[in-house]
Amino acid sequence: MFRTTLTAGVALATALAGPALANDELREYANELFEPIPLSTPDLANGNMVTRQRVDLGAMLFFDPRMSRSGLFSCQSCHNVGTGGVDGLETSIGHGWQAGPRNSPTVFNAVFNVAQFWDGRAADLAEQATGPVQAGVEMNNTPERVIATLNSMQAYVDAFQEAFPGEEDPVTFDNFALAIEAFEATLTTPNSRFDQFLMGADSLDEQELAGLNAFIDQGCAACHAGVNMGGQDYYPFGLVERPGANVLPEGDRGRFAVTETAIDDYVFRAAPLRNIELTAPYFHSGAVWDLEEAVAVMGVAQLGAELSEQEISDIAAFLRTLTGEIPEVVHPVLPTRTADTPLPEPM
């Protein structure tokens, strides 16, 4: 699949190659490749309903560290909504102060991705929500212990009943995941300056327009297109030239671990580029902290292009226009523990 998509993208990029396009012509081509982030919360493909009750419950679960065995780690720990939806670490720290194997992807706009995690092993946000809770290197909990914790607090039981009306026993691990998904679906960042440009505003300056033109002309849009500027397909990291082991660790073979198919060796989901200036460090290894350096690495590894300093600067300037309106999230007041609430366990 990635070969077909890449070929189509490169063909379009080739068609656009040449002198810089006039603003209106560039906008027209850009609208063929990209989409503005919608102002409203998108419908979920799995049929989960994004109701106020589910969103409010999901917010409580997202912020509650008692969903971890130690009582220290929550979804917010690795996907901090105050810092671009990431933790700002090369790889996240979890149970026992262990460093995880990969950089934490942003939770902002994750609802638009074709699948979750760098290797796409979770089909949607609900499935993704069940992973870190159980991972020994992250929250190190079990579904049974999570449910016991929730059932020990009447405020949580009531919230589940309101969020999943008509169910005989709504406090389930599946509903736990659906509630978190409903909350995370609201974490979108519309109205970036680039979105405004797509919708007809003269919101980009001369360098940013040059960067958009270079982004398309060099072939970056072959992998980073659509509403989330990526996140829609899988590609080899090092399509033309494999990066060094510090950027592409040899032990992490990407999607191969999911499919066990040779063609997926060192294949990863294309990183979404929305709010990229907020989400350093970059790549699944978290090895690169500078956006210009990340652009240069991608030029060589994916395009076989030694981009000039001006092209790198222009593309990075364009990428910074992808920062949208960050949602203001109020930390919820969490239910009070009771004598029946499982105690946090030492790490």
Side-chain angles (χ1 to χ4, degrees):
M1 181 186 296
F2 65 79
R3 285 201 178 96
T4 301
T5 305
L6 186 59
T7 300
V10 170
L12 178 58
T14 301
L16 303 184
L21 298 169
N23 285 10
D24 290 342
E25 190 178 6
L26 180 57
R27 194 191 327 269
E28 181 181 348
Y29 280 125
N31 271 293
E32 293 181 17
L33 294 167
F34 315 111
E35 300 174 48
I37 291 180
L39 296 176
S40 58
T41 301
D43 293 332
L44 297 175
N46 61 7
N48 186 13
M49 295 182 293
V50 185
T51 63
R52 172 48 53 195
Q53 293 81 3
R54 289 192 190 185
V55 170
D56 289 347
L57 171 59
M60 288 194 292
L61 299 171
F62 184 92
F63 281 94
D64 197 335
R66 294 168 299 187
M67 300 303 103
S68 67
R69 184 176 295 274
S70 65
L72 286 174
F73 301 102
S74 67
C75 303
Q76 164 76 355
S77 299
C78 297
H79 304 285
N80 192 312
V81 296
T83 57
V86 299
D87 56 17
L89 302 174
E90 290 190 11
T91 61
S92 297
I93 302 299
H95 189 82
W97 310 119
Q98 301 174 84
R102 291 177 182 160
N103 179 260
S104 178
T106 179
V107 71
F108 289 153
N109 305 308
V111 66
F112 299 118
N113 294 333
V114 67
Q116 305 302 320
F117 297 113
W118 284 97
D119 53 19
R121 66 184 182 274
D124 51 38
L125 287 169
E127 184 176 351
Q128 188 278 332
T130 67
V133 174
Q134 301 176 78
V137 74
E138 296 184 64
M139 297 168 77
N140 194 39
N141 214 341
T142 65
E144 295 76 19
R145 196 174 185 278
V146 168
I147 297 307
T149 299
L150 295 171
N151 276 321
S152 74
M153 293 174 269
Q154 188 60 44
Y156 263 132
V157 175
D158 293 344
F160 270 88
Q161 290 173 343
E162 293 175 4
F164 300 93
E167 295 190 15
E168 183 176 350
D169 181 16
V171 186
T172 66
F173 197 55
D174 285 343
N175 285 348
F176 163 89
L178 289 173
I180 291 177
E181 177 182 52
F183 168 66
E184 291 183 347
T186 69
L187 300 179
T188 60
T189 63
N191 207 33
S192 69
R193 288 197 294 119
F194 179 57
D195 285 344
Q196 294 171 33
F197 172 79
L198 291 175
M199 293 184 285
D202 293 327
S203 52
L204 305 186
D205 66 24
E206 185 176 342
Q207 183 182 25
E208 292 158 354
L209 289 169
L212 169 58
N213 195 85
F215 187 86
I216 296 172
D217 186 63
Q218 290 290 346
C220 307
C223 302
H224 299 282
V227 67
N228 216 10
M229 310 286 289
Q232 291 303 303
D233 218 329
Y234 308 95
Y235 305 92
F237 192 2
L239 181 66
V240 177
E241 182 177 327
R242 182 168 291 188
N246 62 321
V247 174
L248 182 63
E250 293 183 2
D252 187 348
R253 297 172 65 182
R255 192 158 171 74
F256 175 82
V258 179
T259 67
E260 297 184 348
T261 302
I263 197 172
D264 286 331
D265 212 11
Y266 294 98
V267 166
F268 296 86
R269 189 194 62 191
L273 299 182
R274 293 288 186 171
N275 308 300
I276 191 71
E277 68 173 331
L278 307 180
T279 59
Y282 303 116
F283 307 131
H284 68 283
S285 58
V288 175
W289 286 85
D290 180 74
L291 182 55
E292 280 78 3
E293 182 182 351
V295 171
V297 168
M298 291 298 285
V300 173
Q302 303 304 99
L303 306 173
E306 289 281 355
L307 300 175
S308 69
E309 289 187 12
Q310 188 62 59
E311 287 172 320
I312 291 170
S313 178
D314 290 347
I315 290 173
F318 160 65
L319 293 177
R320 292 187 174 99
T321 73
L322 303 180
T323 301
E325 294 178 354
I326 306 301
E328 184 175 349
V329 181
V330 177
H331 194 305
V333 177
L334 302 176
T336 303
R337 73 175 313 277
T338 69
D340 294 327
T341 305
L343 295 174
E345 296 184 11
M347 294 193 297

